[in-house]
Amino acid sequence: MYQQQQQQQPLQDEDLAYTVLSDLKRVVREYATAATESVCPSVRQMFTNLLNSTLKMQGDLFNVMQAQNMYSTASPALRQEIDKQLKEYQQTQQKTSGWLQQKLHGSNQQQQQQNFGAYQSYNQQQQSHQSHQPYYS
C-alpha cells in the first residue's frame, strides 16, 4: 500500500534536491571525520579526495537549487561581524597551536630530562664501581 501511494505521488524535484543536498552534507562530515582520524597517509589522501569531490558536488547542487529558487539563503551577515568571528577563530587557533607546541616541546624536554637522568645515574654507578678496590690482590 505504501508503495502504491509513493508511486502515485512522486517526490517533486525540489524535495529530491533537498534530500540529496542533505545527504551530501552528511557525507562531507563523515569524510572530514575519516580524513582527520586516518593514520595512514594514503587513506587520509583518499578521504581528502573524496571530501573535495563531494564538496564540489554539494556546491554545484546548491548553485542549481539557488538558481531555480529552490533554496533561500540567510540574510547577509555584516562584514564587521564576520571579521570579528574570524579574529576570534584565529586567536583560538593561535592559542591551540601554542599549547600544542608547548606540550610537544615539554614532552620532548621531559624525555630529554629523563634520558639525562638515566645517563647521570649510569655514570654514578660506573664511577662507584671504579672507586672500589678490587677484592683480589
Side-chain angles (χ1 to χ4, degrees):
M1 180 150 179
Y2 175 72
Q3 287 177 338
Q4 256 182 346
Q5 288 175 346
Q6 194 176 17
Q7 288 174 355
Q8 291 173 352
Q9 298 175 349
L11 289 175
Q12 299 297 319
D13 286 345
E14 186 174 349
D15 294 331
L16 287 171
Y18 266 107
T19 301
V20 172
L21 187 64
S22 294
D23 283 344
L24 288 171
K25 289 177 182 180
R26 180 189 53 77
V27 169
V28 162
R29 287 190 302 271
E30 298 297 328
Y31 285 156
T33 299
T36 57
E37 292 182 2
S38 295
V39 176
C40 175
S42 61
V43 172
R44 177 184 286 263
Q45 187 60 52
M46 177 194 65
F47 280 118
T48 300
N49 292 343
L50 288 168
L51 172 65
N52 289 336
S53 65
T54 306
L55 281 169
K56 183 181 178 337
M57 195 181 322
Q58 184 270 335
D60 292 343
L61 179 57
F62 167 78
N63 289 334
V64 168
M65 289 175 68
Q66 190 176 34
Q68 295 183 6
N69 294 320
M70 292 181 180
Y71 198 101
S72 59
T73 58
S75 60
L78 296 174
R79 182 66 194 175
Q80 55 198 151
E81 278 300 312
I82 294 172
D83 290 341
K84 179 183 171 187
Q85 286 295 314
L86 182 60
K87 186 176 180 179
E88 287 178 16
Y89 292 142
Q90 288 172 337
Q91 289 172 346
T92 301
Q93 183 182 18
Q94 287 173 348
K95 288 179 185 176
T96 303
S97 180
W99 178 84
L100 183 59
Q101 290 300 322
Q102 180 184 10
K103 293 299 179 185
L104 288 174
H105 179 70
S107 175
N108 289 340
Q109 191 174 19
Q110 185 180 17
Q111 184 64 40
Q112 289 172 355
Q113 288 173 350
Q114 287 174 349
N115 290 344
F116 184 69
Y119 174 73
Q120 282 182 321
S121 177
Y122 173 77
N123 274 346
Q124 289 172 352
Q125 288 174 356
Q126 292 300 320
Q127 289 173 356
S128 69
H129 288 295
Q130 290 172 358
S131 67
H132 285 109
Q133 294 297 324
Y135 291 111
Y136 57 91
S137 320

